[in-house]
Amino acid sequence: MAGGEQEPIAYSSESQPGGSATQSSGSSAQSAEAFRASPVQPHYAAPLASRDHVAAGFLALLLGVFGVHKFYLGYNAQGFTLLALTVIGGLFTFGIATGVVWIVSAIEAIAYFSKSQSEFEQIYVYGKREWF
């Protein structure tokens, strides 16, 4: 074993109950072959559902004041925030809050449209960037 290389451990019949101390070269090759059985695949998490950047952009542009684009991306808290600002804030500020929410939604629509699909997924789907 030069250079720190390790050979796979082949279990002999000595370690098994009822096995003999002597072992033939044929059974050694068989046990080494059994040791190198097919590898077990590691556990991978299920991939996240992909979202289309064009659909998210149009939702932000057309229905963004209600937070629909945030719900589409899975950001429910931010969607409810935009919805509450539009409805409740719009009532108390005579529509000024609704205009501000529309401007924010238009900026987000432009940001979604300006990204490629892979960039969009990397930033907003996998990276979980919630605003802009």
Side-chain angles (χ1 to χ4, degrees):
M1 294 217 203
E5 296 176 357
Q6 295 180 349
E7 296 178 354
I9 299 172
Y11 296 102
S12 66
S13 59
E14 298 175 323
S15 63
Q16 298 175 356
S20 65
T22 59
Q23 185 177 19
S24 68
S25 64
S27 66
S28 174
Q30 290 173 351
S31 60
E33 188 64 35
F35 181 73
R36 286 182 272 195
S38 63
V40 177
Q41 292 290 327
H43 175 71
Y44 292 106
L48 295 173
S50 178
R51 302 290 183 209
D52 186 34
H53 75 286
V54 176
F58 277 121
L59 287 173
L61 195 60
L62 301 175
L63 299 172
V65 292
F66 301 113
V68 174
H69 63 292
K70 295 294 185 182
F71 291 117
Y72 175 73
L73 292 173
Y75 304 133
N76 294 335
Q78 291 76 20
F80 283 119
T81 301
L82 291 177
L83 184 62
L85 281 173
T86 298
V87 175
I88 297 169
L91 290 174
F92 289 116
T93 62
F94 304 106
I96 294 172
T98 304
V100 170
V101 171
W102 186 86
I103 291 170
V104 168
S105 299
I107 292 170
E108 287 186 332
I110 292 169
Y112 296 161
F113 285 133
S114 67
K115 307 274 187 242
S116 69
Q117 181 64 32
S118 61
E119 287 175 328
F120 175 80
E121 287 178 354
Q122 195 67 25
I123 294 170
Y124 297 104
V125 177
Y126 301 120
K128 295 291 184 187
R129 185 173 176 188
E130 299 166 351
W131 298 100
F132 299 111

